[in-house]
Amino acid sequence: GCSSSGGKGSEDKAEETGGGKANTARMTIAMVTHSGQGDTFWDIVKNGAEVAAGKDNVKLLYTNDDKADGQAQLVEQAVNQKVDGIIVTLAKPDAMKAAVEKAVAAGIPVMTINSGSQFSKEFGALAHFGQEESVAGEAVGEQLNEDGRKKAICLIHEQGNVSLEERCAGVKKTFKGEVENVQVEGTNRPGVEAAVEAKLTAAKDTDAIVALNADIASAAAKAKEGAGSEAEIATFDLNSDVVARLASDEVAFAVDQQPYLQGYLAVDGLWLHKQNLNVIGGGRPVLTGPAIVTGDDAEALKKFTDRATR
Amino acid sequence: MSTTLTKAAGDERLVHRPLAGRLLSRPELGSVIGAIAVLVFFSATADSFLSSMDTVLYAASTIGIMAVPVALLMIGGEFDLSAGVLVTASALVSSMVSYQLTANVWTGVLVSLLVTLAIGFFNGYLLVRTGLPSFIVTLGTFLMLQGANVGVTKLVDDTVSTKSITDMQGFSSARSVFASTLGIGSWDLKVTILWWIGLVALATWILLRTRAGNWILAVGGGEDAARAVGVPVHRTKIGLYLGVAVGAWISGQHLLFSFGVIQSGEGRGLELHYIAAAVIGGCLLTGGYGSAVGAAVGAMIFGMTKQGIVYAQWDADWFWFFLGAMLLLATLLNAWVRKRAEAAK
Amino acid sequence: MSTTLTKAAGDERLVHRPLAGRLLSRPELGSVIGAIAVLVFFSATADSFLSSMDTVLYAASTIGIMAVPVALLMIGGEFDLSAGVLVTASALVSSMVSYQLTANVWTGVLVSLLVTLAIGFFNGYLLVRTGLPSFIVTLGTFLMLQGANVGVTKLVDDTVSTKSITDMQGFSSARSVFASTLGIGSWDLKVTILWWIGLVALATWILLRTRAGNWILAVGGGEDAARAVGVPVHRTKIGLYLGVAVGAWISGQHLLFSFGVIQSGEGRGLELHYIAAAVIGGCLLTGGYGSAVGAAVGAMIFGMTKQGIVYAQWDADWFWFFLGAMLLLATLLNAWVRKRAEAAK
Amino acid sequence: MTSRPTPAAAGAATAQPAPLAELRGISKFYGSIRALEGVSLRVDAGQVTCVLGDNGAGKSTLIKIIAGLHRHDAGDLLIEGEPTRLASPRDALARGIATVYQDLAVVPLMPVWRNFFLGSEPTKGAGPLRRMDVGLMRATTHRELLRMGIDLRDVDQPIGTLSGGERQCVAIARAMYFGAKVLVLDEPTAALGVKQSGVVLKYVAAARDAGLGVVLITHNPHHAYLVGDRFVLLKRGVMAGSHARSEIALDDLIRDMAGGGELEQLSHELERIPPTEAPAVPAARTEG
Amino acid sequence: MTSRPTPAAAGAATAQPAPLAELRGISKFYGSIRALEGVSLRVDAGQVTCVLGDNGAGKSTLIKIIAGLHRHDAGDLLIEGEPTRLASPRDALARGIATVYQDLAVVPLMPVWRNFFLGSEPTKGAGPLRRMDVGLMRATTHRELLRMGIDLRDVDQPIGTLSGGERQCVAIARAMYFGAKVLVLDEPTAALGVKQSGVVLKYVAAARDAGLGVVLITHNPHHAYLVGDRFVLLKRGVMAGSHARSEIALDDLIRDMAGGGELEQLSHELERIPPTEAPAVPAARTEG
Ligand SMILES: Nc1ncnc2c1ncn2[C@@H]1O[C@H](COP(=O)(O)OP(=O)(O)OP(=O)(O)O)[C@@H](O)[C@H]1O
Ligand SMILES: Nc1ncnc2c1ncn2[C@@H]1O[C@H](COP(=O)(O)OP(=O)(O)OP(=O)(O)O)[C@@H](O)[C@H]1O
Ligand SMILES: [Mg+2]
Ligand SMILES: [Mg+2]
């Protein structure tokens, strides 16, 4: 039978983004990230890059590897493929150094995105679009102070991931209360839910939960319900579920670093550089965040999160 | 079960052996010792551990629902690396079908059952047709599914996670079947625990009391010998993969109906947990020996340890270290107790 | 190697069999067919594939250095789930020792060798002492190492990655040993390729020509029979784990000296790639059969496929799907060719 | 079933009913190894066909073809007169051919009773409650083994912990119990004690008398001569002779089995050594 | 090595030199199963000790204790007069005890020549170049098997693809080749053809004559009587007798092996059936 509610039938027909298309010569740009498989955040980055690529008549080669040596190899492969520009993330700067320098030496313009702004210039990249993980973390800490919270837990969903550790470290730095890290398994949401529920039961005085991505935030919200805790939930990044939960106040606020912009601007930046030798930001890092999103913004954002552009 | 027949009781070649010793020689009951040790340990070190047994049981059940069919498969001598991502695939299918067709979610649930069974059949059929080792066949499907989960979701839903179906027709009835919570006393028991117990009972029945069970033990313990006496080896193996598919379907539906949204990259790595639970519970990796109850106890040990470490509030950086050490200790203890029991009797 | 002895050549019970057929029946040469197919396929579909063979070889060598000892271990009938994180552990130890003691990095490299060997010994010793299956023992060390890697790094260095040691004494000489690049024509060959070839040659020599090799084949193919005729089963197994440790040490040092910094959370999941390379190359998961060259060819197939998909510019969302499908096809092709060869001979 | 001759008919008539199973010019290769070439054999109802031959002559290969375990590469396999290709042992079992293999007998980790009934488990109950009749299975296993002189302590013992001969007895008792039309036995008495061997030979005789066709492989010419009606000799994969019982004497059979004339000398030599030597030292060989 | 008696000494002197190996009141339990209780046995140089008994009597268990594969639970094991606990088969081999097991013979996937030398591989070269002497190993394997009447096509064949008897011959040839002081053979001739059995018995006689102590397990009383000097009878795990060759006749031995008087009848019955029946139908049993 048919569902009378929800589903595709209830979707607004989203208006097509992008109108015209540049008539400049076709160029090929490789984008190499340290994303894992099927990650919402990186999907948004990629969407931004694709829209810019479509507009600028660019062929975009997106690849990703969450292991340092794998990502470095991908950059070298891009160099071998003689692309016209490379966009790379610097989450593991030391590991990427040699590969990026090789690209620069080969005369390929490089843009860096996401974290690692302090290394961008040193490695010879043209520009950097992103947000420092620790800065974003600090923003969360400050917001929690404002909300009068005393004890927070920070959910690390991938052990040993530098960016996640930096986010928690940032929270710790500005938050006046106590912060404790909790390891959860990012690929196992029932497991996340059970672990967070356990932590909330064991440490009853916890009054804030910091999730480091949107999917973990949903699991944390369920765990909070299960444990009957009053803790407020803060999260990094957005998805439709988090936006819905923002609207219903289940999630207090989210830190958005506007990943769409990182992808979009990097591609556009390379195009501009080729066409006009422009450098966005004049060589200094361009920050795309952190922006704090609360329930008030939720209504307006819903449409975009559904399309995976916010 | 393990009483001897008729006159054998008076056989001078049989040394008397107390009940405890006999019980301990059963694969599942041996591992119970390990489970009890973990339980006692965490009850003593973690305050809220005992009172939060409902969460612990929930964590155990989400592993256990898959550990049971995976254990049967292992007893049948095969391996399934694709089990973890199959759960995600199953959830994705029902979510996408329901959403895209704007149909009652039960339609999606049924289509998902068919698709999941088809993937299980593909695994089994490829295995018996090609004679390749199951490790390589299911590694192939594991990688393919991992890619297809993301690729298809992007293709269909434009994002890497599915659209929410919480507001669709049938959702609440499906949720009550796959993801409801039953309040019993101060405990909030998840319905997955019932599914789990049901699966354990069913698998035990199959293994101990049906012809299929006899065949499973035989193809795992000696495939050539089994074939030689007329056991339908191929059908048995395909059946085992279908069993894993059913488990994945239940787990997948639980995932979908407890969260409403599915992340397409989830599930990777969980296959190892299922296999580990089965092995901790006494299943032989090489096949031919093990039990469903054992797998359930293994899942219980796994679940208790994972939760217990959090309740005990040990340093999170060392979480995996403690988990590994506890699992090893529990299994060692169990092996040691069994050896003692054998020697003492 | 596979010529028959003296008068057997004229035996009326032997059908004449052409060289090609005989070659194909060797475990490693069968899988070469699969490798050639992958090579031809990507040379045709991906422009820069052939001209970038150096990168492809590099990718294959990083898997291959571990795949070879892991293959020996598998031939010896055991499993190592901790191989992936052991690589990281090995790199972490030398980095931290050098940095914290402000010593010549070679000190760190040596200490790391000892520590890595100690962990390998721990695996092997626990296995033979307790009689637990290697799956559960190495799952334990896998989890423990995974936790300890991060835990210790955070304890010592305060972050989850180590401090850079690129400016320390001995770094450049160590780099030239473990991570240098040799320009040959237009190709930049990484030194890991040499290490890889060396390990394959060494492992082949051990397996085919030494007593230890005979024992490895025997403990994997029939542990009880081997013990009964006096093979030192325990020593052999411990030795195999030490071999894996040596491989992990080389890989770990390469990782460290090519980047100067180590991410403590990496390495998980790679053990599966090593095992897969060995299995694709014809090693039996149940032990007793396989070859080091086969494992190398398996690593080559793995490396070529991973790189080829990128060069062919296929959609990254479907990366894992293509990888799985290609691996499966290559192994199927190889199995099929072998069957044909057997039947036609 | 229709044309199956009764033992009486088989004994009385010289007109040939279709044999229960027949091999015509069978060849079998393992890769480049020729195991059998052009071997023919017929299994008649109420007759025991003995297959004799040296080690590696191809006897087991031959019976594996009748049992459906291997496919032959050339020649014809006829079952009750019809040319057939057996797809699997299950197929052969369904046509009433029960086999005791030389080295594929049992699943070591499984209890004795499960092994005994493996592949032909009796059930009770119906629908979802259909289950193995465990009581019957245990009782039958214990009884049938007792009849062969094996008094099991516990039918729940994993069969791998039985002694070699006990294990062999389980395989034989199983085949006897399920044997329908053709009984194929590959060296059944090799691991058995004197008493158990006697029981097995009695069983073979009884099966023959009940009208079954029996194929018996053995290295013991005395055993073969005791129950055999026809003796087929294999040598290095080809047929070296086929004799009815009436055409051959025990001594000739022994000589044939030992590889012919050139070997007679060896066996004589051996038979002589101990007797001549024994008297020389026995005085010294008193008990300590 | 020092006190090892030469065959001549063993034969000539009534003064007892320490036996090569001796079991005194040995017991062995597998979990709750009693396999042996209070069994004694001595292995003297230049003598063949036969262990006889029904299936499941505990014969294999007994020799596994001598071979170092199992540890006994009670009693003493003496090697050359010294009380010993063998840690492993390797230990036993180092003391010159070579064994052919009933069911633990070989590693199926390994080539024949690797199996033959497994655990005692000859090497050449020194230091890092020390390697197995593959040429010698292959040649020796082929030659030794040929001497037993097994003409292998290819010593590179995985041993699992050999026939049952061929496999057994490899195990026997290996033990014979390496046998140092004590040779333990568990049903060596069970799977062998007439010719190969003859060869093995000749080998046993030769080993005895060379001053080795031999323990032979067999179900064939003829074989046992041909070479045995002393017969130890086991019954359901306990000793049922121990006789020097001079004290027992072949017929008594057969009766003892078949389980004593109450069984005589059965064996008679069987021996009678075919002869009486055979003449009744032979005319009908002409060749087809
Ligand atoms: N590992 C084991 N666990 C339990 N019981 C065992 C084990 N091995 C042997 N047995 C039992 O011990 C008894 C003696 O076995 P053993 O193999 O020594 O007999 P055997 O005299 O060699 O018989 P056969 O002539 O059939 O080879 C048997 O009844 C057997 O069931
Ligand atoms: N799977 C196989 N692959 C290759 N060769 C084989 C295989 N099985 C058997 N052979 C060979 O075929 C020949 C016949 O073997 P088979 O087992 O039929 O002999 P057999 O007559 O039963 O001998 P035995 O009396 O020793 O049991 C042997 O020489 C053996 O080496
Ligand atoms: Mg045979
Ligand atoms: Mg025995």
Side-chain angles (χ1 to χ4, degrees), chain D residues 153 161 163 165-166, chain E residues 30 55-61 102 187 219:
Chain D
R153 304 170 180 88
T161 65
S163 81
E166 289 169 337
Chain E
Y30 294 111
N55 289 126
K59 306 180 295 298
S60 298
T61 305
Q102 186 177 10
E187 306 197 18
H219 284 300

Side-chain angles (χ1 to χ4, degrees), chain B residues 69-78 80 120 212 215-216 219 234-245:
Chain B
V70 165
L72 286 196
L73 182 67
M74 275 174 56
I75 295 171
E78 303 294 340
D80 193 353
W215 297 346
I216 293 170
V219 298
H234 288 186
R235 265 200 285 142
T236 307
K237 294 210 162 166
I238 293 178
L240 288 171
Y241 277 100
L242 293 181
V244 174

Side-chain angles (χ1 to χ4, degrees), chain B residues 251-265:
Chain B
S251 299
Q253 302 317 302
H254 167 68
L255 203 63
L256 175 61
F257 292 107
S258 58
F259 293 104
V261 175
I262 295 300
Q263 185 63 26
S264 60

Side-chain angles (χ1 to χ4, degrees), chain D residues 60 102 186-187:
Chain D
S60 297
Q102 187 177 9
D186 194 354
E187 306 197 17

Side-chain angles (χ1 to χ4, degrees), chain C:
Chain C
M1 259 299 308
S2 52
T3 54
T4 52
L5 252 153
T6 52
K7 59 141 287 182
D11 199 312
E12 90 280 6
R13 298 164 304 170
L14 267 181
V15 185
H16 177 68
R17 197 171 170 195
L19 184 69
R22 253 178 315 164
L23 279 180
L24 279 172
S25 73
R26 289 211 50 84
E28 57 273 34
L29 284 164
S31 57
V32 166
I33 301 286
I36 293 174
V38 173
L39 179 69
V40 169
F41 177 78
F42 280 116
S43 304
T45 45
D47 288 340
S48 22
F49 185 74
L50 266 188
S51 63
S52 313
M53 218 50 207
D54 50 351
T55 354
V56 174
L57 277 173
Y58 173 55
S61 72
T62 53
I63 300 172
I65 287 177
M66 281 302 282
V68 170
V70 165
L72 286 195
L73 182 67
M74 274 173 56
I75 295 171
E78 303 294 341
F79 226 63
D80 193 353
L81 292 178
S82 69
V85 286
L86 187 56
V87 171
T88 311
S90 170
L92 287 173
V93 170
S94 41
S95 166
M96 281 190 290
V97 167
S98 309
Y99 187 87
Q100 295 298 327
L101 304 182
T102 326
N104 188 304
V105 296
W106 282 103
T107 321
V109 171
L110 286 185
V111 172
S112 161
L113 177 60
L114 294 181
V115 172
T116 317
L117 283 175
I119 298 172
F121 181 82
F122 176 78
N123 270 333
Y125 186 75
L126 210 61
L127 180 86
V128 300
R129 281 291 303 182
T130 62
L132 290 178
S134 61
F135 183 91
I136 199 77
V137 168
T138 59
L139 179 74
T141 39
F142 163 62
L143 294 172
M144 278 158 64
L145 272 183
Q146 183 183 336
N149 280 351
V150 177
V152 172
T153 312
K154 275 196 83 166
L155 212 64
V156 173
D157 281 348
D158 257 349
T159 62
V160 290
S161 64
T162 61
K163 310 278 191 220
S164 171
I165 59 162
T166 42
D167 51 357
M168 292 184 67
Q169 226 177 34
F171 186 86
S172 61
S173 65
R175 166 172 239 160
S176 63
V177 171
F178 291 109
S180 57
T181 306
L182 318 164
I184 294 181
S186 66
W187 283 4
D188 288 338
L189 291 177
K190 292 274 164 69
V191 72
T192 45
I193 300 172
L194 291 184
W195 279 103
W196 182 34
I197 294 173
L199 277 182
V200 172
L202 180 67
T204 305
W205 162 263
I206 290 178
L207 208 53
L208 294 184
R209 282 292 170 270
T210 68
R211 305 182 68 180
N214 218 26
W215 297 346
I216 293 170
L217 286 165
V219 298
E223 183 171 332
D224 292 337
R227 180 174 295 116
V229 296
V231 171
V233 175
H234 288 186
R235 266 200 284 143
T236 307
K237 294 209 161 167
I238 292 178
L240 287 171
Y241 278 99
L242 293 181
V244 174
V246 170
W249 175 72
I250 298 173
S251 300
Q253 303 316 303
H254 166 68
L255 215 56
L256 174 61
F257 292 109
S258 47
F259 301 126
V261 173
I262 295 300
Q263 315 290 329
S264 61
E266 284 183 9
R268 265 168 303 143
L270 287 181
E271 61 282 350
L272 227 57
H273 293 198
Y274 308 145
I275 297 171
V279 176
I280 293 171
C283 291
L284 271 190
L285 209 66
T286 43
Y289 188 79
S291 74
V293 174
V297 175
M300 196 66 204
I301 293 182
F302 216 96
M304 283 196 295
T305 312
K306 262 167 95 172
Q307 301 291 101
I309 293 173
V310 176
Y311 282 120
Q313 310 193 0
W314 292 343
D315 188 346
D317 285 331
W318 290 86
F319 176 83
W320 294 103
F321 180 85
F322 294 132
L323 185 64
M326 294 288 299
L327 289 185
L328 209 50
L329 285 177
T331 329
L332 269 177
L333 176 72
N334 149 24
W336 181 79
V337 167
R338 223 146 82 186
K339 220 189 222 156
R340 292 264 94 178
E342 289 271 288
K345 101 245 89 145

Side-chain angles (χ1 to χ4, degrees), chain B residues 1-9 11 13-14 205 207-211 213-215 217-222 224-232 235 284 287-289, chain D residues 69 88-90 93 101 104-110 113-115 117-123 128-132 134 137-139 142 151-156 166 174:
Chain B
M1 259 300 307
S2 52
T3 54
T4 51
L5 252 152
T6 52
K7 61 142 286 184
D11 199 313
R13 298 164 303 170
L14 266 181
W205 162 262
L207 208 53
L208 294 184
R209 280 292 170 270
T210 69
R211 306 182 67 180
N214 218 24
W215 297 346
L217 286 164
V219 298
D224 292 336
R227 179 175 295 116
V229 296
V231 171
R235 265 200 285 142
L284 272 190
Y289 188 78
Chain D
L69 198 67
S88 69
R90 194 172 179 75
L93 275 169
Y101 299 92
L104 270 184
V106 293
V107 181
L109 288 170
M110 280 171 86
W113 62 273
R114 282 182 181 264
N115 262 293
F117 283 93
L118 188 56
S120 322
E121 298 84 354
T123 56
L129 279 181
R130 186 149 165 251
R131 60 198 183 276
M132 295 193 299
V134 177
M137 290 167 77
R138 289 158 172 277
H142 196 257
D151 179 13
L152 274 196
R153 304 170 180 88
D154 181 0
V155 288
D156 261 311
E166 289 169 337
R174 172 169 68 190

